[in-house]
Amino acid sequence: MRAIRVASAALLTATALTLTVPPASATVRGDETNNNITSFGFRVTPSTIAAGGQVTLSVDGCEGDTKVTSGIFDDAHIPKGQSSTTAQVFWDAKPGAMYEVTFDCKGETGKTDLTIATGRPDGNNNHQNQHQNPVNKGVKAGIGGSLGGLDLHEIALGGALILGTLATAYYKTRRRTGENHS
C-alpha cells in the first residue's frame, strides 16, 4: 500500500516539474530565431534608424540584380556588380515599429528587420517629405514571445510553485503513512 502512495507522489511531482519546464524551442533568442538562409548575404545598416533617416542596403554574393522592398522606404535596386545602395526611410514611420526588409536576388529572397527609433535625424523635426504619400504596407508584428524575457521575479515565482508542489506531495505521503500505523 505504501508503494502506491509513493508512486502517486512521484508521479505528481514529475508531472508538476514537466509542466513548469519551458519547451526547448522557447530558449532560442535574438538572431538565432532567424532561419533566413540564402546563397547570398544581405544587411541593412543601421538596423535601427529614425524616421526620415538614410539606410544602406548591402548584398554580397548575388550574381544578378537585387531588388530590395519594404513598407518603410521606396523600392530599391542594386545592379549586378554593385554591392550596396541607399534608401531614405519615410518621414511618417511609426517610432518603435519594426518593418520587414526583403532582398530578392534572381528569385531567391531573404528578409531582415529594420526598427524605427524615436526622434528625427536632424533634431528639429523637419518634415521635408510631408507632401509624399507612400503606400503603407503595414508594420511587422508578432516578433515577441511569451518566454522572451523572463525576469528574476518570474523565475522566483516558478521556483516557489515547484517547491510548493514538492512540499505538498511530501506532506501527503508522510501524513498517510502515519494514519495507517495508528
Side-chain angles (χ1 to χ4, degrees), residues 42-58 68 70 72-73 84-89 97-101 103 112-121:
F42 55 91
R43 67 190 164 284
V44 176
T45 50
S47 61
T48 301
I49 187 82
Q54 192 172 31
V55 292
T56 301
L57 309 168
S58 303
V68 185
S70 180
I72 197 59
F73 53 78
S84 67
T85 190
T86 59
Q88 174 132 5
V89 174
M98 185 180 297
Y99 292 86
E100 189 173 79
V101 179
F103 290 79
T112 189
D113 295 326
L114 176 62
T115 304
I116 305 303
T118 57
R120 303 281 183 212

Side-chain angles (χ1 to χ4, degrees), residues 20 59 62 73 130-131:
T20 58
V59 65
C62 180
F73 53 78
Q130 59 183 325
H131 299 292

Side-chain angles (χ1 to χ4, degrees), residues 88-171:
Q88 174 132 5
V89 174
F90 296 140
W91 282 98
D92 63 347
K94 297 173 181 87
M98 185 180 297
Y99 292 86
E100 189 173 79
V101 179
T102 303
F103 290 79
D104 184 342
C105 173
K106 299 188 318 186
E108 182 180 8
T109 60
K111 297 177 182 183
T112 189
D113 295 326
L114 176 62
T115 304
I116 305 303
T118 57
R120 303 281 183 212
D122 60 4
N124 61 8
N125 292 336
N126 185 8
H127 295 275
Q128 295 174 358
N129 296 333
Q130 59 183 325
H131 299 292
Q132 185 180 24
N133 190 10
V135 176
N136 187 359
K137 295 182 183 176
V139 175
K140 182 178 179 183
I143 297 300
S146 61
L147 297 174
L150 290 177
D151 60 4
L152 188 57
H153 175 74
E154 292 171 330
I155 293 171
L157 183 60
L161 288 172
I162 292 171
L163 185 62
T165 303
L166 292 172
T168 302
Y170 177 77
Y171 174 75

Side-chain angles (χ1 to χ4, degrees), residues 2 7 15 18 31-32 35 50 77 92 126 128 131 142 150 174:
R2 179 166 162 43
T15 302
T18 302
D31 292 332
E32 297 169 14
N35 295 328
H77 179 76
D92 63 347
N126 185 8
Q128 295 174 358
H131 299 292
L150 290 177
R174 296 296 299 164

